[in-house]
Structure formats: C-alpha cells, structure tokens
Amino acid sequence: MRPSDYFGSSPAGPGPAELIAAEVRGVPPIEVPVRLCRLAPRLLPVSGASASLRGESVPVRLCASGERASRLAEIQATLGDGPCVSAIAARAPVLASDLSSGADADRWPVFAQQATAVGVQAVYALPLGSDTVCVGTLDLYRDTPGGLTRGQLGTARLVAGVLTLALMALPREEDGWLSGLSGDHDEVYQAVGMIMAQLGIGADEALARLRADAFARGRTAHAVARDVLTHRRRFDSDVP
C-alpha cells in the first residue's frame, strides 16, 4: 500500500484527509515525512512538527518543519526526556497542553524549561507504528498553551498513520536517509563506548555523562558524540 491509498473520497469537500492525500499523491515514500511535517501546521493549531525514529535510548530526528521544531527534537534526544520519549514508552499519544505551569511542567521540568525558553508552550507526541510496535513519533509544537479537540487529535492520528505507511513502504535500497540516521545513532553509542573506557563506568552512566555534558554546553548529544569520536572531547580529563 502506498501512503496515498490510505484515503477514500469524500463528497463534503476537501477536509484534512483530502488535503493530506493531495500532498502525498504521486510522491515517493522517501519524500513523504518532510511533506507531512510541513503540512501539519496548515491542518492543526500548531506552529511546527518533527518526526523522530526510535533508538535504543536516543531518539533520532528524521525531519522537521523548521529550525525550531528541529531544535525541540534534538533537546528531547539530548535529555532523554519529554513527550516524545514518553509516547515511545507508552505506545500512545502524549499531549502536553501547557509546559509553562502545572502537571506538564512538573512531569518534564528540564525539557519544559528548555521548550518554553524557545517559545514552545505545548507539545503533542503521537507514536508511529502499531499498537504493539512503536518505531518513532510525530511531534507537534505549539507556541501557545492549549489542547487538541477530538477532531484535531483525529487529524493528528491521520498524519501519523500516513507517515507510518511511508516508512513501511520505503524499499530497502532507497533508504539512504535511514542509513544516515543509523549513522548518527551509531556515533552516539561509539562515543558511549569510548567514555566507558576512559572512565571505567557502565553504559548507562556513560550515556548520562554524555547527555549532561551536552546539556551543560548547550549542544546536542550527537554533536558531543562527534567531538568524542574525533578526540576533541575527553571525559577522563575532567577527573581530578
């Protein structure tokens, strides 16, 4: 099944399903995720969108509608915390309607502070995959607090469903971008191995050290990993 085959026709005029179908009709699966991330703010009361693939401990950004959405995806990956990470664990939508105060701010305090600092007040994370297997998330960002109506959540689920179909329809020989994402993920774990050797610690602590270093320096986990691999950053030099 191609992503455009997900839709039927509607006599009521162009609704969200028809607009999504028009956006992906005739488009190769490799281009669908970017198109959907850019379309989401036109369909929903959100200011941006990104999609991330599930890693063992570090979500890997697949695409984003703009620089701020890309930054928010990297913040979640670096912290290992946020609605994206929670949605992967729960295999269900995680809707944070107000990151400036209340339960959502308390649930992810560091992420909430980072998100609001760049003007994001709400995040809606939807899993990609099936009820039993989650391969990543679609993350929707909003610059004002607020929730989604039932109809809006249905539209968001529709976008996530088509994005999942695009990933499943991608032939192995065409997945150069997936190979690139795998390279980013592998770099993090190679760097974790080097930190383990430098400090004589376990993998979980080494990953935590890498993430803490990235957060303290205002960088992403992937950027610090590359510094470790190229010997521009050594963690044993921090030990007195």
Side-chain angles (χ1 to χ4, degrees):
M1 177 184 279
R2 292 179 61 85
S4 56
D5 296 332
Y6 197 74
F7 309 95
S9 59
S10 170
E18 288 74 27
L19 293 172
I20 296 170
E23 188 70 22
V24 302
R25 186 174 293 116
V27 174
I30 195 171
E31 297 179 13
V32 169
V34 173
R35 285 180 174 252
L36 291 178
C37 280
R38 291 174 179 170
L39 178 65
R42 292 162 45 196
L43 300 175
L44 293 159
V46 299
S47 54
S50 67
S52 297
L53 295 183
R54 179 180 186 175
E56 292 178 28
S57 297
V58 182
V60 183
R61 181 177 54 80
L62 169 61
C63 59
S65 60
E67 183 176 345
R68 183 164 61 172
S70 179
R71 174 63 179 155
L72 264 292
E74 290 290 356
I75 288 173
Q76 294 191 81
T78 297
L79 295 176
D81 194 26
C84 162
V85 179
S86 297
I88 288 174
R91 295 199 296 270
V94 173
L95 311 178
S97 60
D98 188 357
L99 292 170
S100 62
S101 62
D104 294 331
D106 292 340
R107 184 175 181 182
W108 308 283
V110 180
F111 170 75
Q113 187 276 328
Q114 293 284 298
T116 55
V118 296
V120 171
Q121 299 287 324
V123 177
Y124 318 116
L126 291 91
L128 304 175
S130 66
D131 292 338
T132 56
V133 178
C134 178
V135 298
T137 59
L138 170 67
D139 301 310
L140 305 169
Y141 306 105
R142 180 166 162 168
D143 53 14
T144 57
L148 296 177
T149 66
R150 181 177 298 181
Q152 290 165 349
L153 181 57
T155 298
R157 287 180 182 271
L158 188 59
V159 175
V162 178
L163 210 163
T164 296
L165 282 177
L167 295 176
M168 295 176 66
L170 187 66
R172 184 67 185 172
E173 62 270 18
E174 292 183 13
D175 68 350
W177 53 279
L178 282 178
S179 297
L181 292 171
S182 176
D184 286 345
H185 184 267
D186 289 345
E187 283 183 347
V188 170
Y189 281 92
Q190 290 171 27
V192 165
M194 291 177 66
I195 296 169
M196 290 170 63
Q198 290 171 14
L199 300 179
I201 58 178
D204 289 345
E205 184 177 351
L207 179 58
R209 293 282 190 100
L210 186 148
R211 280 177 159 152
D213 187 82
F215 178 72
R217 296 168 184 265
R219 307 190 69 206
T220 68
H222 296 111
V224 173
R226 293 188 189 104
D227 284 351
V228 173
L229 294 177
T230 55
H231 306 288
R232 292 194 297 266
R233 177 78 176 98
R234 289 189 63 91
F235 281 71
D236 52 358
S237 63
D238 298 338
V239 178

